[in-house]
Every structure is written in C-alpha cells, then in structure tokens.
Amino acid sequence: MVLLGDKEYFKGIGEIKFEGKESDNPLAYKFYNPAQVVAGKTMREHFKFAMAYWHTLCGTGGDPFGPGTKQFPWSVASDARKAAEDKADAAFEFITKMGFDYYCFHDFDLIDEADTLAESEKRIHSIVEYLKAKQNASGVKLLWGTSNCFSNPRYMNGAASNPDFDVLARAGAQVKIALDATMALGGENYVFWGGREGYMSLLNTNMKLEQDNIGRFLNMAKDYARGQGFTGTFFIEPKPMEPTKHQYDFDAATSINSIREYGLQDDFKLNIEVNHATLAQHTFQHELQVAANAGMLGSIDANRGDYQNGWDTDQFPNNVLETTEAMLVFLKSGGLQGGGVNFDAKTRRNSTDLEDIFLAHIGGADTFARALLVADAVIQNSAYEGLLQKRYASFASGKGAEFAAGKLALKDLYDHAVANGEPQQISGKQEMFENILNQYS
Ligand code: XUL
Ligand code: CO
C-alpha cells in the first residue's frame, strides 16, 4: 500500500508497476515482475529488495571538492525530531511507491546524533516509535539495522579496534542502542561494517590486540542481542579499504577466517557488496562464491564501481552480463540466507531531480531481475551445466572418485601417474562458456 504522509514528496510519481520489456514508460519495471516465479520462488522472495536510508534520503551529493547539490524537501526542518519524521515520511512514500518490502538504516540516518549519548538514545527511541507505526501501516519491514561507528570524529582511530578503551566502550553503547532499535522494529538482521576498523600505519598499531578486541566486541554484541531474544542473523560486510587504508575485514575469505577464529560462525554470515568486492581486486561473483562455500552467503549490498577509477563510487547496478555471473552463483547456492538485496547505491552528484532516485532504483531492480532470468535460462536450457560437469568428470568415477572420497594416499597418485604417462591436454573452453552467457542474455 502506498503510504503518503501529510505531504507528498514525490509528486506526479505513482506506484511503479511491471510493464514488460516493450514498455517505453521510464517509471515502470521492464524485467522486475515481483510475482513472477523463477526457479521455484517469486522474484520478490528471491531478492527482498531494500532501500538504503543513507544514500536515498541523507546523501545530497557532496564530495571532497564541493558541497551537496540536491535539495531534499524532507531535510528542511531545523528541529531534529521534525526533520526525522519528514525523512521517514519520504522514506515510506518512496519504498511503497517502488513496491519494495524492506529498508536498511544506520542509527543516525534516522535522526541526527545529539550532543550527549543520553539525548541521542532518547532521539532514537522516539523516532523508532514513529517508524513502527509506519511499518504497521504499510507492511514494509526492516531488513537490517546498523550503527554508524565511523563518521563521528571520536572514531578517527577506530571503534571496536580503537587503542583507547573509552572510545571502544562508547562504540559498545552505540551498538547496544542500535541493536535495541533494530529489535524494536522487528529487524531481520544486523550488520557490522568496520569502516575505521583497520589501520593507516602499522608503526603505531598493535594489530593482534585490535583484532582480538573486535572479536570480543562482536561476541558481546551477539550475546546481548541473543539475550534479548533476537533471532536474526548478524552480517559482517567486508571491504578492503576506504576510509581506512587497510581494513581488517578485507574480503570474504578474510572475514570468514575472523568469524571462525572468534567463534562466531553459528551467528554470523556475510553481507557482500559489489563495489567492495571490486576494490579488493575480486569480482562480485567471486565473493558470493567464497561466502556460499562457507555457508555464509547472507545478504547483498547492490551497486557497482567504475572501471576507470579505483574508489567506492556506489553507482546503481546496470551491467546485465556481470550481474548474470553473480546470479549463477546466487541460484546455484540456493540464494541468500536471511538477507536480501539492499541498494547501497547513490545517484550521481548531477542527477538532481527527485525522479532520478526512482529511475536509479528501477534500473537496479531490472538489472537483477533480468540477470536472474538469464542465469536461470542458462542453467535450465543451455549446455552450461553439462560442460561444467564434464570438466570435472574425472572425479566422478574410477581413481578420481576414490581420491574425492578421501580413499587414496600420495603413493596411489604416484602409481596412477606412472601407469598413465603424460596427461592429455584438455581445453578449459572459457570462450565457449562466455558465449553461452551472451547467447542467453
Ligand atoms: C560503506 C558501506 C556502508 C555499509 C553499512 O562502503 O557499504 O554503507 O553498507 O555501514
Ligand atoms: Co554497504
């Protein structure tokens, strides 16, 4: 149900509907058909699309070279509570017009941080009550909450990795309040992204202590939330750098190692972000596969980087072929465990019409939907699966199968090699695999 507050912010834009590929209506889905069943689930269930509060409602386009460019009519009130209500009204109008079911937030996206911890906590509690009413009226749900422990100058040396215990404890208080807010809103998951958990120079850093402290901190947060009855999943969101030179949760493999090292594997999974993968010199699908292999593919932050520069540009996804490779991993690993697809993406600084926010999200949803359809067709109808199986057929029978079952010793490999002579050359057929993707897209 489309939810309008006293004021309609996105005037002239109604509910975004699926009109199909032939439609010329820029404000309609061409591929995202929420009710369409693909591989046994509706698109709506596969993706659980979410709006990111921070980019969509807070980011006005400022960069290191100039201020924001966007006039958001919901950010004019000088009173913090009134401004937060206006923002929430705009948020729910947008989410319901998009036909999305979810949103995600950082604590101080919802309402400005106050001068004291006590006042900040009061503010969060009060806006949570307002959001609860909005959720009840619309059916929109919270995919995940998180706390911003990286913007405030107090976190310049890190939050849970801070060399000063007082700052670490302050971050703990903030995470407790954000967990309380997430639980009060029925949040399905909780995210930790360690933007300043890392170091700029090893010269002044005790890496072992910092990492152990993060491990202790995450265990405390988990124990607190579980003690309060939270049954959702915690996600670590890997990123190699930016703002810190070297972040501890560098990529999926590094984060999985920390999760296991600190005994968090029963409660934590990963939230994989496209542009974070590419900053780590991986593809998005690589990161999804690493997470899936560990049983930790929890959620996705959807966006994309830029091939010509190396920072976190957080653009909306629009590359169908690349997203198709990701959707192959997604479908073959059984989808996301507990999470959804959150558009952690922003319109460009010079995209200043309010309508652009809709166009960007429509494009992102259509890219994922189209890629899902292509990936499903590739799996169901093409030679792809057969070719992949054929490539590994030597492990399906004979000595290869015995090896895979753990029944051989090194001496058996020696005997096999001696008996077989030089192995035959077998092509990897990469171009054939690539051509299949092109054919079906
Ligand atoms: C930063 C980023 C964050 C997290 C949540 O690159 O992705 O917005 O998603 O803190
Ligand atoms: Co993110």
Side-chain angles (χ1 to χ4, degrees):
M1 190 186 54
V2 171
L3 210 61
L4 302 175
D6 296 342
K7 193 169 165 197
E8 186 177 11
Y9 288 102
F10 304 100
K11 284 207 184 67
I13 299 177
E15 212 173 327
I16 308 300
K17 302 227 170 70
F18 171 71
E19 291 185 7
K21 197 177 167 202
E22 306 309 323
S23 169
D24 287 328
N25 177 3
L27 289 167
Y29 294 117
K30 316 298 182 302
F31 296 93
Y32 177 54
N33 182 0
Q36 187 176 344
V37 174
V38 182
K41 271 194 225 172
T42 63
M43 287 191 178
R44 184 181 202 146
E45 291 163 337
H46 272 296
F47 294 132
K48 293 167 71 178
F49 283 133
M51 177 210 75
Y53 228 87
W54 52 104
H55 286 309
T56 303
L57 300 144
C58 310
T60 54
D63 70 15
F65 303 94
T69 51
K70 304 172 196 212
Q71 272 95 48
F72 287 160
W74 51 85
S75 330
V76 287
S78 52
D79 174 67
R81 167 64 200 234
K82 172 76 173 87
E85 272 181 25
D86 291 348
K87 211 195 277 189
D89 288 347
F92 278 73
E93 183 191 330
F94 177 76
I95 300 164
T96 51
K97 282 184 169 176
M98 287 299 299
F100 286 179
D101 294 317
Y102 287 95
Y103 69 111
C104 301
F105 64 70
H106 301 87
D107 38 14
F108 298 121
D109 299 335
L110 300 179
I111 191 159
D112 285 349
E113 186 170 7
D115 292 337
T116 64
L117 181 63
E119 180 56 27
S120 293
E121 182 169 16
K122 246 191 248 159
R123 284 189 182 184
I124 296 275
H125 282 321
S126 82
I127 196 64
V128 159
E129 290 311 310
Y130 192 77
L131 288 166
K132 235 188 243 174
K134 298 237 95 135
Q135 287 188 192
N136 289 339
S138 62
V140 168
K141 293 169 279 189
L142 176 60
L143 185 65
W144 51 260
T146 188
S147 62
N148 179 336
C149 291
F150 45 87
S151 294
N152 190 296
R154 81 172 70 88
Y155 297 123
M156 66 180 185
N157 290 308
S161 64
N162 201 290
D164 177 6
F165 173 72
D166 288 350
V167 180
L168 183 151
R170 184 67 170 72
Q174 201 181 316
V175 167
K176 178 194 172 292
I177 296 164
L179 277 166
D180 288 339
T182 301
M183 290 185 283
L185 291 167
E188 295 182 13
N189 308 280
Y190 189 85
V191 162
F192 289 94
W193 170 62
R196 299 205 191 262
E197 312 295 29
Y199 64 86
M200 308 301 280
S201 166
L202 205 47
L203 289 174
N204 66 358
T205 302
N206 182 339
M207 189 201 279
K208 173 89 174 97
L209 179 65
E210 291 196 1
Q211 291 197 295
D212 287 350
N213 284 349
I214 295 172
R216 279 186 273 270
F217 186 98
L218 294 179
N219 268 287
M220 284 177 173
K222 182 258 296 176
D223 290 343
Y224 172 74
R226 292 288 182 243
Q228 300 295 309
F230 179 64
T231 55
T233 307
F234 298 92
F235 298 137
I236 300 275
E237 185 177 320
K239 187 176 182 183
M241 66 193 85
E242 205 206 283
T244 307
K245 173 188 158 63
H246 184 106
Q247 283 173 215
Y248 291 134
D249 295 323
F250 190 94
D251 61 0
T254 316
S255 303
I256 290 166
N257 183 58
S258 303
I259 286 172
R260 289 181 178 149
E261 181 168 356
Y262 295 108
L264 297 162
Q265 60 279 358
D266 296 335
D267 301 271
F268 279 66
K269 300 191 187 305
L270 299 182
N271 180 32
I272 302 294
E273 178 161 328
V274 185
N275 205 170
H276 296 182
T278 50
L279 280 175
Q281 309 271 308
H282 298 306
T283 59
F284 176 39
Q285 59 269 28
H286 168 94
E287 290 291 83
L288 294 179
Q289 188 69 65
V290 170
N293 292 350
M296 292 187 192
L297 178 50
S299 207
I300 286 175
D301 267 11
N303 56 27
R304 74 178 208 275
D306 182 290
Y307 291 119
Q308 279 74 46
N309 60 32
W311 64 89
D312 195 13
T313 58
D314 283 346
Q315 294 167 90
F316 275 83
N318 72 351
N319 188 321
V320 175
L321 214 49
E322 282 183 1
T323 313
T324 301
E325 290 203 39
M327 289 299 102
L328 281 174
V329 179
F330 178 98
L331 282 175
K332 287 172 60 155
S333 57
L336 303 173
Q337 297 186 34
V341 175
N342 166 48
F343 287 107
D344 192 351
K346 56 189 176 206
T347 53
R348 298 301 85 193
R349 189 168 186 267
N350 57 353
S351 297
T352 46
D353 293 342
L354 290 181
E355 180 202 60
D356 296 330
I357 306 173
F358 279 85
L359 299 175
H361 283 82
I362 290 169
D366 270 344
T367 301
F368 268 75
R370 187 170 179 183
L372 186 80
L373 291 167
V374 176
D376 183 51
V378 165
I379 292 169
Q380 300 300 326
N381 309 330
S382 80
Y384 174 85
E385 280 295 309
L387 283 167
L388 197 56
Q389 269 182 28
K390 191 172 153 214
R391 192 154 189 246
Y392 293 90
S394 65
F395 292 97
S397 64
K399 286 285 169 200
E402 284 179 43
F403 170 82
K407 290 181 184 156
L408 299 188
L410 190 63
K411 178 66 168 52
D412 298 312
L413 301 187
Y414 173 83
D415 293 342
H416 184 82
V418 168
N420 278 275
E422 186 59 30
Q424 222 190 318
Q425 188 179 56
I426 304 174
S427 167
K429 292 280 173 227
Q430 181 174 324
E431 295 79 4
M432 190 188 275
F433 282 92
E434 290 166 349
N435 291 351
I436 292 174
L437 245 61
N438 257 349
Q439 183 185 351
Y440 281 79
S441 62

